[in-house]
Amino acid sequence: LSSARGGGSDGMSIAFERMTIFCRDLDASLAFYRDLVGLVPVEEKVMEGPAAGGLLRLPSCRIGFALLAVSADAAPILGLFEVSGAEMP
């Protein structure tokens, strides 16, 4: 999250550089942001086991994620994450 002077009536605007969304269905969310919004998947991975859970301070689990950008050669602006096999707090 960054802020910049200019815009808005109070002289301040807020811009996001990247957003992370935890979703229940990674495939459905990926289809929405790819097919309807027009973002391009630039990386997709799955992590499983204790190391995956450790990233989020959870027990052993499975984490699937996709990073999306406005074009194939642009920096990712959206991360979609699906956690299964462990209850999210």
Side-chain angles (χ1 to χ4, degrees), residues 23-44:
C23 51
R24 293 177 193 245
D25 185 336
L26 181 59
D27 292 332
S29 296
L30 183 56
F32 173 80
Y33 286 100
R34 182 191 59 227
D35 301 341
L36 296 175
V37 177
L39 295 178
V40 177
V42 293
E43 186 173 357
E44 294 180 60

Side-chain angles (χ1 to χ4, degrees), residues 18 26 30 34 39-47 63-81:
R18 183 186 293 180
L26 181 59
L30 183 56
R34 182 191 59 227
L39 295 178
V40 177
V42 293
E43 186 173 357
E44 294 180 60
K45 288 190 178 180
V46 173
M47 297 177 64
I63 300 174
F65 70 90
L67 301 178
L68 296 99
V70 295
S71 67
D73 58 347
I77 60 169
L78 177 63
L80 299 173
F81 288 79

